Amino acid sequence: MSAHIVFRDVTKRFVVRDRASRRRTEFTAVRGVDLDVERGEFLVLVGPSGCGKSTLLDLLGGLTEPSEGQVLLDGAPITGPGLDRGVVFQQYALLPWRTAQGNVEFGLEAAGVPRRERPDKARGFLDLVGLSGFEDRHPHQLSGGMRQRVAIARSLAYDPTVLLMDEPFAALDAQTRESLQDELLRIWRRTGKTVVFITHSIDEAVYLGQRVAVLTSRPGRVKEVVPIGLGDRTEQADLRSSPEFARYRHRIWELLHDEVSRAQQQEKEVAAV
Amino acid sequence: MTALLEARPAVDEERPTRDRVKRPSLPRRVADALLTAVGKVAAIAVLLAVWETAPRLGLVDATFLPPFSTVVDAWWRLATSGQLLDNTGASLARSLSGFGLAVAVAVPLGLLIGWYKPVATLLGPLLEVFRNTAALALLPVFVLLLGIGETSKIAIVFYACTWPILLNTISAVRGVDPTLLRLAKSVDLSGFRLFQKVILPASVPTVFTGIRLAGAVSILVLVAAEMVGAKAGLGYLINASQFNFAIPQMYAGIITISAIGVVFNQVLVALERRFTSWRVPVGS
Ligand SMILES: Nc1ncnc2c1ncn2[C@@H]1O[C@H](COP(=O)(O)OP(=O)(O)OP(=O)(O)O)[C@@H](O)[C@H]1O
Ligand SMILES: [Mg+2]
């Protein structure tokens, strides 16, 4: 059986207009990315800022197309967005005029679920993310963590096989973040979805991922994929302070360290031009 | 299921309960409401008091600024003779038709221009020229083309109301949060459903700002138009009263217009609240 998601030698270039010379130049965001994600796997992507993580996720979501190479889902090239993939955005992207329940129903409407079934289903998914009792609140009446849970419930509602998450917990405080991480792991285990998760936090990467793919600085390539052998996270108390956890964290930190300084060097050069 | 709940104590504590927030007692609430009401009318009461006393004390010429009570008197006489009702009716009919037409035309047109690039490129330069031409400067043109009857008056109100609504609607559509558009794209919404479920509701607040501006404009422009060539209407009443030196009557007309302006605005604000109750309350 082939992998659920396959990046095969994927390159993405953007056309940008140079301000000084007013010429159109090509800008390579990622170059030659090869990566397999197994069905039901939890894969985390880390890399220096601007290395093309969001670009890879957009390619998976069908929001952009690769300039070269192929992105395969179930063996077939991705041709556009679809409900088999659910995207959770960093900025929540909730519809502010809809209640929590209305936002989850938005996902159901997109999937063509009959009107009569929507309210019950939506409430069920809100319950799954621990938000029963908040159905009638508008986004501005919810905390950041609750908003992100609504967004997760919305993505789960149309039952995608893949969840694409771009730094979904980046804006949250440490406690909320940790409780949402546990919640996500629980949902992942229960639903068996394939998850591709982007983060800036090495801790988060080690805690969540079965494997962590470290990308190089721009143009992004996969530098190394680190399998994390920590077993069931939620069964173990205070896993984060265990020596194995520290070892994985250090390994990824090492891999990232050179790339981050190279990325910063690049940014300085761009600024100097 | 218990394990789930235990792992999320924070959620249970956050669960809203209806009776936790105690409402203040009835006498307390009545007192609060009275206090706010007094605060709101205080400034107006002071203005009226000054208006009443200044002419009486000879601080201003009572011929040009009669005391408020005299104006009220004149207003009452106008009201009972039916003149006020006729003129107000004439004005309202004109400004509401012009305003209503403008809403009906400018909102759909604005949505179209805001969303479809080609339409924007086609109509953009035209819009630039017209929006920068003061509506009242075009009044003589309207009169020439449409005569001095109702048509030209409704037309000028329509014209003047169109711009704030059109421009706000265009910027509303262009200003839709790009993350919401990405969300819509990610669930494969397109065409009509994208418009109906995302763009339209997201635009409502900004469109309403335009509608509210247009409400004020409709009265402003109409009164000016009625002063030029009309046989009825509040603008006509004011102008004719001044011409006949019926000064208290002139002020009565002015007060009526302000009152209509305030009421119209309040109605639009209430409508706006009704449609945008989901918004983050600003400054309250
Ligand atoms: N639409 C676009 N047009 C031009 N350049 C783009 C576009 N989108 C992204 N880029 C560039 O491609 C590179 C990769 O962007 P991307 O958003 O994927 O980075 P990232 O790894 O997600 O960064 P971060 O961690 O800061 O979110 C960046 O240098 C960015 O400037
Ligand atoms: Mg990013």
Side-chain angles (χ1 to χ4, degrees), chain A residues 14-16 27-29 47-56 90 166-167 198 200 218:
Chain A
F14 293 106
V15 176
V16 289
F27 178 95
T28 310
S49 183
C51 74
K53 302 183 292 295
S54 300
T55 305
L56 289 179
Q90 181 182 342
D166 193 348
E167 303 188 37
I198 295 177
H200 265 126
R218 208 192 71 232

Side-chain angles (χ1 to χ4, degrees), chain B residues 50-68 70-71 245 247-248 250-251:
Chain B
V50 170
W51 186 352
E52 181 65 33
T53 47
R56 288 195 188 283
L57 296 175
L59 295 176
V60 291
D61 192 337
T63 333
F64 299 126
L65 183 64
F68 181 59
T70 317
V71 174
F245 222 69
I247 301 298
M250 177 186 89
Y251 281 108

Side-chain angles (χ1 to χ4, degrees), chain A residues 225-247:
Chain A
V225 181
V226 182
I228 310 284
L230 284 175
D232 189 348
R233 314 313 201 251
T234 46
E235 295 290 290
Q236 307 165 48
D238 207 12
L239 177 70
R240 286 183 175 84
S241 41
S242 71
E244 298 103 299
F245 194 92
R247 234 175 345 100

Side-chain angles (χ1 to χ4, degrees), chain A residues 8-9 20-21 32 35 38 43 75 85 111 113 135 137 146 186 193 195 201 214 219 229 235 239 243-244 257 269:
Chain A
R8 191 175 290 158
D9 199 16
S21 62
L35 183 67
E38 296 304 323
L43 181 99
R85 287 146 286 155
V113 173
E135 291 87 354
R137 299 274 191 101
M146 292 163 140
R186 215 174 281 120
K193 296 192 189 304
V195 180
S201 152
V214 181
E235 295 290 290
L239 177 70
E244 298 103 299
H257 188 70
E269 279 162 19

Side-chain angles (χ1 to χ4, degrees), chain B residues 237-283:
Chain B
L237 177 71
I238 293 168
N239 212 31
S241 305
Q242 191 235 17
F243 198 72
N244 300 326
F245 222 69
I247 301 298
Q249 206 172 320
M250 177 186 89
Y251 281 108
I254 293 174
I255 289 179
T256 311
I257 282 173
S258 328
I260 290 175
V262 170
V263 170
F264 195 23
N265 190 51
Q266 289 298 316
V267 169
L268 291 178
V269 168
L271 267 180
E272 185 176 8
R273 282 232 183 91
R274 172 92 184 64
F275 281 108
T276 61
S277 56
W278 47 268
R279 275 219 292 187
V280 192
V282 190

